[in-house]
Amino acid sequence: MREKLSHPPINELIIGVYFNPPLLDIYSHHVGLLWHALRSRYPRIEQREPLNNLFLEAPNELWPMPRFWLTSSDESHLVQLQRNALILNWRRRNSDYPSFEPVKAEFDRVYESFEAFVQTINPEAPIKIERVELAYVNMIEPCDYWNSATDTSVVIPSYTPLASGTPALFSVHQTVVVDPMTSIATGVRVGNRVPDGSPVLNFDIRAVGTLDSATKNDSDNWFAKAHEMIGRTFREITSPTVRQRYWNRGG
């Protein structure tokens, strides 16, 4: 049974699909059509460099299409679009984490608008999903149970400091291949918060799947399984005491 926490430390949830072949029929001037469909929920639009600086050029194009950001009024939801990817980020902006299901439902609504948009541009354009990603970014600032890197094992019991002691800043990553299609990567790191420089503990759990010219339905099935895998991983690496005493207050 999945453990539901009333106050999880989730700072960001990322749901993404990546296309192959990339959608070279879409040009920058077309994106306004998609924004028109989403503008009531995402009133702000801006341009950014593509992820991994991957500019995918199309025929007869003077400037390659960038990545577009569409942001909700409260900045909690961000849609990212480039020729080979559609990504939805939920970000904590003075709001509680709504749970996976509402965020996934919003991704589905965005994808429906995106699919209609692509069909408007070119009804013959194939939308083939090659890679999928589900990631949870957790963040803990100084509090009752964590104040610095030396407290990391209180939250992540499996974390073992170096023989010379726990460094003030560190980063540890591990990737496990779960099945031929899916890998789970975990990352634990302590850094400094901007702008005041106070320490912050981040631990990420990221599931990445490699599919073969998949449909939206195929990706939905993968996301459901990945969600369960990430939940199990979260329970395995975090302290039961911290989960119950601090992340499940009133739960």
Side-chain angles (χ1 to χ4, degrees):
M1 182 176 180
R2 186 173 180 83
E3 184 180 33
K4 289 283 189 179
L5 301 177
S6 58
H7 295 80
I10 298 169
N11 192 56
E12 186 169 9
L13 171 59
I14 303 165
I15 303 175
V17 292
Y18 298 81
F19 311 113
N20 190 22
L23 301 171
L24 297 181
D25 292 310
I26 298 176
Y27 290 77
S28 294
H29 54 270
H30 291 140
V31 175
L33 296 174
L34 178 61
W35 187 37
H36 177 75
L38 298 175
R39 190 171 183 176
S40 62
R41 303 200 305 278
Y42 298 90
R44 195 174 80 194
I45 187 170
E46 56 188 295
Q47 297 183 15
R48 297 294 179 103
E49 287 188 0
L51 295 171
N52 302 317
N53 203 31
L54 184 63
F55 285 95
L56 298 167
E57 297 186 31
N60 302 315
E61 184 173 55
L62 181 60
W63 302 108
M65 178 176 156
R67 173 172 44 135
F68 285 90
W69 274 21
L70 284 66
T71 310
S72 64
S73 298
D74 63 0
E75 298 187 349
S76 64
H77 288 74
L78 167 67
V79 174
Q80 302 187 64
L81 170 67
Q82 60 186 54
R83 282 196 169 118
N84 70 329
L86 179 69
I87 303 165
L88 176 69
N89 303 58
W90 175 86
R91 306 174 297 179
R92 187 181 294 279
R93 295 290 189 271
N94 299 316
S95 61
D96 292 332
Y97 173 59
S99 82
F100 171 76
E101 289 78 12
V103 180
K104 178 58 165 60
E106 176 61 13
F107 174 82
D108 293 339
R109 285 189 289 269
V110 170
Y111 190 95
E112 184 178 6
S113 295
F114 167 76
E115 191 172 39
F117 158 69
V118 172
Q119 292 298 302
T120 298
I121 302 304
N122 182 0
E124 304 299 323
I127 303 178
K128 299 295 184 181
I129 298 172
E130 179 184 52
R131 189 165 70 91
V132 279
E133 176 184 27
L134 180 65
Y136 284 78
V137 180
N138 302 280
M139 185 178 74
I140 298 173
E141 298 174 313
C143 59
D144 290 345
Y145 58 92
W146 188 89
N147 282 286
S148 68
T150 57
D151 298 323
T152 299
S153 60
V154 174
V155 181
I156 312 289
S158 60
Y159 170 73
T160 302
L162 300 173
S164 58
T166 303
L169 305 176
F170 69 85
S171 180
V172 180
H173 298 272
Q174 181 181 42
T175 300
V176 176
V177 177
V178 179
D179 59 45
M181 291 192 305
T182 308
S183 63
I184 300 285
T186 57
V188 181
R189 62 189 182 278
V190 170
N192 290 327
R193 184 175 62 180
V194 177
D196 62 9
S198 62
V200 175
L201 171 64
N202 289 280
F203 61 99
D204 311 339
I205 308 175
R206 183 181 305 269
V208 176
T210 302
L211 307 182
D212 183 16
S213 297
T215 64
K216 174 63 164 53
N217 186 62
D218 295 330
S219 71
D220 288 339
N221 293 334
W222 182 89
F223 281 122
K225 294 177 182 177
H227 181 231
E228 291 300 320
M229 292 179 189
I230 288 177
R232 287 198 300 270
T233 302
F234 180 86
R235 293 191 296 274
E236 289 169 359
I237 70 172
T238 57
S239 162
T241 300
V242 171
R243 291 202 306 273
Q244 291 303 314
R245 183 176 296 175
Y246 298 103
W247 299 341
N248 204 30
R249 300 190 303 275

